[in-house]
Amino acid sequence: MNVLRRIGCALLTAASIFAPSADATSFSTDQSDLYYIQAESGWGIQLVQRGAVIFGTMFVYGPTGAPTWYVATMGSSDGLTWTGDMVTTTGPWFGTVPFDPTTVTVRKVGTMTWTPQSLAAGTLSYVVDGVAVTKNVIRETLVADDYSGTYLGAFHASVTGCSNPGGNGSGEVPIATYTVTQNGSSISITFDVPGFGSMTITGPLTQSGQFGAVTGSYTDTTGDAGAAGISALNVQTNSLAGTFTEDSATEGCHAVGYFAAMRSRP
């Protein structure tokens, strides 16, 4: 935390270190994933989000027990709830060649509503031909991601509560190197800021759909230490992003922030 505190002090004396703070422009945390109920394996829903729109594909069983698909295009104005018409379709047998789209029928059966409750879970409510259903579902994890690598990027941090008020501050650090070492469910992420030092967050890694999370501790090159966590950790072929929190055991500082970086290639 002393590393972040030193950055906070620098924010007050050298504004050039931080770019002006700006609100995020993306609509919300990405809701795209497979969702299910662990005790009800055999059905589920897939959500794909683009901006303010979510397309849901639900695979369940109809009144006769036959596999049935429903889809919905849901919109949102606030990023807190999505809702839209829910439809079912029929069409030609999948082996029909050529496929004839004129034989496809679409019938509205009701509505679907998606309400995220946390990063990992949400409430799915829908109505099919007058039958209302509400389910609390979670993201389904297919495999644990491999976050290992070296990345170059930036982060935003807000530091409050420091015993030395000069350590409080908020802004963007334009250059940082992130080194991620992962061994099974154990992970270590080092933030190295040129001219200020480095801090390392370590702990057990958990996976929830496309996102990882770490609840552990941190140390930095000044000798400070405390509790730390990372959430919404997401890795792609060329990038790494996430949010973090730190609570100093010695300085009283509380830091929250987010980071994004590109993968460094040999």
Side-chain angles (χ1 to χ4, degrees):
M1 181 67 73
N2 276 337
V3 169
L4 287 182
R5 183 173 63 79
R6 289 168 59 192
I7 293 174
C9 291
L11 172 63
L12 300 177
T13 58
S16 62
I17 292 178
F18 289 101
S21 181
D23 292 333
T25 57
S26 58
F27 187 76
S28 70
T29 299
D30 190 6
Q31 302 299 305
S32 303
D33 236 319
L34 288 169
Y35 292 82
Y36 78 130
I37 296 175
Q38 202 166 21
E40 299 180 7
S41 182
W43 75 273
I45 183 168
Q46 176 175 283
L47 302 180
V48 178
Q49 180 184 1
R50 293 295 181 269
V53 175
I54 290 179
F55 185 78
T57 306
M58 186 168 65
F59 44 99
V60 290
Y61 304 98
T64 65
T68 307
W69 289 72
Y70 297 102
V71 299
T73 301
M74 298 175 283
S76 175
S77 61
D78 57 8
L80 302 175
T81 301
W82 282 260
T83 189
D85 291 341
M86 184 171 171
V87 303
T88 186
T89 61
T90 61
W93 174 56
F94 65 84
T96 303
V97 179
F99 181 88
D100 184 2
T102 64
T103 65
V104 175
T105 65
V106 179
R107 182 174 70 89
K108 178 182 174 181
V109 297
T111 58
M112 178 182 288
T113 299
W114 170 251
T115 306
Q117 301 298 340
S118 67
L119 183 71
T123 299
L124 176 69
S125 300
Y126 60 92
V127 178
V128 177
D129 296 329
V131 179
V133 178
T134 298
K135 299 280 191 179
N136 294 316
V137 296
I138 61 174
R139 294 181 189 258
E140 183 172 5
T141 302
L142 299 180
V143 296
D145 282 318
D146 182 3
Y147 300 90
S148 302
T150 301
Y151 307 82
L152 180 65
F155 70 85
H156 173 92
S158 296
V159 182
T160 59
C162 294
S163 55
N164 176 1
N168 299 322
S170 177
E172 284 75 42
V173 177
I175 299 175
T177 300
Y178 307 90
T179 303
V180 183
T181 303
Q182 182 177 344
N183 184 8
S185 61
S186 297
I187 194 168
S188 171
I189 302 179
T190 297
F191 298 59
D192 186 24
V193 183
F196 291 97
S198 66
M199 53 189 174
T200 300
I201 297 175
T202 59
L205 171 69
T206 58
Q207 189 84 27
S208 179
Q210 64 166 306
F211 293 117
V214 182
T215 301
S217 60
Y218 81 92
T219 59
D220 69 25
T221 48
T222 69
D224 190 33
I230 294 177
S231 62
L233 187 62
N234 182 262
V235 66
Q236 302 293 329
T237 303
N238 297 313
S239 63
L240 179 75
T243 63
F244 66 90
T245 62
E246 292 184 356
D247 289 284
S248 173
T250 58
E251 298 290 328
C253 301
H254 172 68
V256 296
Y258 52 86
F259 59 91
M262 65 178 185
R263 188 185 294 273
S264 177
R265 302 289 185 183

